[in-house]
Amino acid sequence: MRIFTAALATETNTFSPISIDKRAFEASLYARPGEHPATPTLCTAPITVGREVCAREGWELIEGTATWADPAGLINRATYEELRDEILGQLRAAMPVDGVVLGLHGAMVAQGYDDPEGDFLSQVREIVGPDVLVCAELDPHSHLTAKRVAAANFFVVFKEFPHTDFVDRARDLWAIAVRALKGEIKPVMSVFDCRMIDVFPTSKDPMRSFVDRLFVLEKSDPAILSISVIHGFMAADVPELGTRMLVVTDDRADLGDALAEKLGRELFAMRGTFMVKQVDEVVAVEQAMAASAGPVVIADVWDNPGGGTAGDATVLLAELIRRGATDVAVGTIWDPIAVQICFAAGEGGEIPLRFGAKSAPETGSPIDKRVTVRKLVKDAQMRFGESFAPFGDAAWVSFDGIDVILNSTRAQSFDPSLFSALGIDPKSRKILLIKSTNHFYDSFSKIASEIVYCSAGRPYPNTPATTDYRKARRTIWPMVENPWAD
C-alpha cells in the first residue's frame, strides 16, 4: 500500500481582528515533507501515528507538508491557496496512492472561502478519484459541512475537551483506515444536525458522562466504528455553524442514522447545562485573595488565544492591581512590542513599560508600570499532552509583588510548564492568572487548590443569541428556543 499524509490546520475566529498570513503558520509549525518532528502537534498526529502504522504493516507512507497556525482571524486568501496547492501538488506527484490520511482542524476560514477544508477535500477527491480512501482527523470545534462529508470516506474527531486524546483518536483513525484498505470493512458516515451551538467541556458532567457512553457504545456492536460530537465553533460566522453527531459504521447507514439522531436529540435536551459557572473579574479576584491556600487558578476564559483572541486583555490584571494582590503570576499577556523592549533592556533591567490591551475594544486598558526584567527566553514553549506548544520569545517582568510573562507568539495557557519555562515555580504562587477556556484543566487541576472561571471583558463572541452573525443560520438554539418547530 502507498498512503499519502499531510496536515493543514488552524481555527478561525471570524470576529478576531488578527488576520494571519504564512508567517503565522511558520511561527507555529511549517514542516516540509519528511521534516515533521517525532512529536505531534494538535492536528498532526495522523502523520506521527502513520509512521508507526505503516512501518508495522510494511506500507509506504508518503509525507506531504504539515502546517498549523495558532487560532486567529481570517486567513489571507493567497496564503490558504498557496498551502493548499503545495499539498495538492505533492499528492499529484505521489500518485497512484491507495489512501489519503489527513490532519485537519475543521474550523478554518479564509478570505473568500467559508469552507476551506471542504474545498481542500473536494480537490483531494478530484485528484485520487472515487475509489481511493480519503479520511481525516478533526477537532470537535469545527464545522461538519455537507461538502466535506461528500468528499471523504470518514472522519474521526477528538472526543475530549480539553483535547488530551488527539493521539488516541489518530490511532482510531488509522485503525479504521487499515481495515478499510484491507477490505475488511466499508466505513460510511451518518450525520445528525442537533440544531444548536454550545460549549461542551468534558471535564465535568453532563458531557463527561455523555462521552463515556460513546466509548461504551463503540464497543457494543462491531458495526459501530466511531462516534463523535462535532461541537461547532461559535466564534465563526459561517453558513453551516452548529453542533452535529457523527457516527461511522461498517456499511450500516441505517444503524448509524438512528444512533446519530438518538444521541443528537439527547444532547439537545441538555442544552445550556454544559459550561461551568463563570464569575466577573471583581468576584474572581475577591475569591482568589480570600482562599486559605494556593495556587488558586483564575482562568480568563474568553480572552483565550485558543479561540482566536489576542490574549492581551488586562481586565483581570487591572483588578488584581486595584485590590493590591501580591504573590501573583500571570501567564501570559501577548505583546510582541513589549517583549522586544524587554529584550533590549536585558535581564535585570528596570524600565517603564506599557503592555497589553492593544488588540481590540473591551479588553481593558494598557498597563503602565515600572518593571524589572527578570528573565528572557528565546523561542519559549510549554507542554501540551504529548506535544509542545510554542509561545515565542518571552519576558518575565515583575512589579509590586506581581510577575507577568509577556509573549510574542499567541498561545493559550495549556500547562504549568509555561511558568517554569521562564523560571517561575507555579506551585509557589498564591494566584495564577491564565488564559484558556478549558484546555488548561487537565494539567492545572493537578496543582490548583481551587479553579475560578472568569468572564471578563468581551474579547470573544460568547453569546450566540446576540452575536452579530451575517452568514450563520439563525434557526438554531439559542438563536431560537425551539429549532424543531415547523
Side-chain angles (χ1 to χ4, degrees), residues 290-310:
S292 59
V296 177
V297 173
I298 304 177
D300 192 353
V301 296
W302 298 121
D303 186 34
N304 172 19
T309 68

Side-chain angles (χ1 to χ4, degrees), residues 13 15-17 300 302-304 309-310 313 360-363 456-461:
N13 177 341
F15 299 91
S16 171
D300 192 353
W302 298 121
D303 186 34
N304 172 19
T309 68
E362 299 185 82
T363 56
R458 191 174 166 80
Y460 183 96

Side-chain angles (χ1 to χ4, degrees), residues 413-428:
S413 310
F414 287 114
D415 186 90
S417 59
L418 81 88
F419 291 103
S420 54
L422 271 290
I424 299 171
D425 178 5
K427 290 184 286 188
S428 70

Side-chain angles (χ1 to χ4, degrees), residues 309-325:
T309 68
D312 71 347
T314 59
V315 176
L316 264 163
L317 177 55
E319 180 63 17
L320 286 161
I321 293 170
R322 187 187 73 81
R323 292 291 303 274

Side-chain angles (χ1 to χ4, degrees), residues 189-388:
M189 288 190 282
S190 296
V191 179
F192 180 75
D193 183 356
C194 301
R195 303 188 190 183
M196 64 188 290
I197 184 71
D198 208 340
V199 179
F200 304 92
T202 61
S203 47
K204 63 179 284 289
D205 277 334
M207 200 59 184
R208 176 70 269 149
S209 296
F210 188 84
V211 168
D212 288 342
R213 280 183 57 217
L214 302 188
F215 285 112
V216 173
L217 286 167
E218 285 177 338
K219 293 180 173 62
S220 67
D221 188 329
I224 300 172
L225 304 177
S226 177
I227 309 174
S228 305
V229 182
I230 299 287
H231 298 192
F233 185 53
M234 66 173 62
D237 188 8
V238 294
E240 293 178 75
L241 172 74
T243 302
R244 288 167 174 80
M245 284 299 312
L246 170 64
V247 177
V248 182
T249 60
D250 179 11
D251 202 21
R252 285 287 308 279
D254 57 336
L255 172 63
D257 292 350
L259 183 56
E261 178 170 357
K262 178 179 182 295
L263 292 169
R265 289 187 180 275
E266 288 180 15
L267 203 66
F268 180 81
M270 295 185 286
R271 66 196 180 281
T273 68
F274 298 99
M275 193 60 183
V276 295
K277 179 185 177 183
Q278 300 165 37
V279 297
D280 66 18
E281 64 275 11
V282 174
V283 175
V285 170
E286 182 178 326
Q287 189 172 334
M289 292 181 69
S292 59
V296 177
V297 173
I298 304 177
D300 192 353
V301 296
W302 298 121
D303 186 34
N304 172 19
T309 68
D312 71 347
T314 59
V315 176
L316 264 163
L317 177 55
E319 180 63 17
L320 286 161
I321 293 170
R322 187 187 73 81
R323 292 291 303 274
T326 59
D327 201 14
V328 175
V330 181
T332 60
I333 290 181
W334 177 65
D335 195 329
I337 295 172
V339 170
Q340 183 178 342
I341 292 170
C342 291
F343 268 79
E347 292 184 0
E350 294 185 11
I351 58 173
L353 187 66
R354 168 170 283 199
F355 62 89
K358 293 182 173 71
S359 66
E362 299 185 82
T363 56
S365 300
I367 303 295
D368 289 293
K369 286 290 181 180
R370 186 166 187 85
V371 307
T372 300
V373 180
R374 299 291 185 187
K375 182 78 172 178
L376 300 168
V377 174
K378 298 282 289 184
D379 300 320
Q381 59 182 7
M382 68 186 109
R383 293 204 64 90
F384 178 42
E386 298 182 42
S387 183
F388 292 91

Side-chain angles (χ1 to χ4, degrees), residues 100-102 104 117-118 120-126 128-130 132-138 144-156 173 187-191 246 248:
V100 177
V101 181
L102 298 169
L104 304 174
E117 287 94 344
F120 178 54
L121 285 164
S122 295
Q123 295 201 44
V124 168
R125 178 59 71 192
E126 288 179 14
V128 301
V132 170
L133 183 77
V134 176
C135 62
E137 183 179 32
L138 298 175
L144 193 60
T145 67
K147 191 172 187 178
R148 301 174 194 186
V149 173
N153 292 89
F154 71 95
F155 298 115
V156 170
L173 179 80
V188 297
M189 288 190 282
S190 296
V191 179
L246 170 64
V248 182

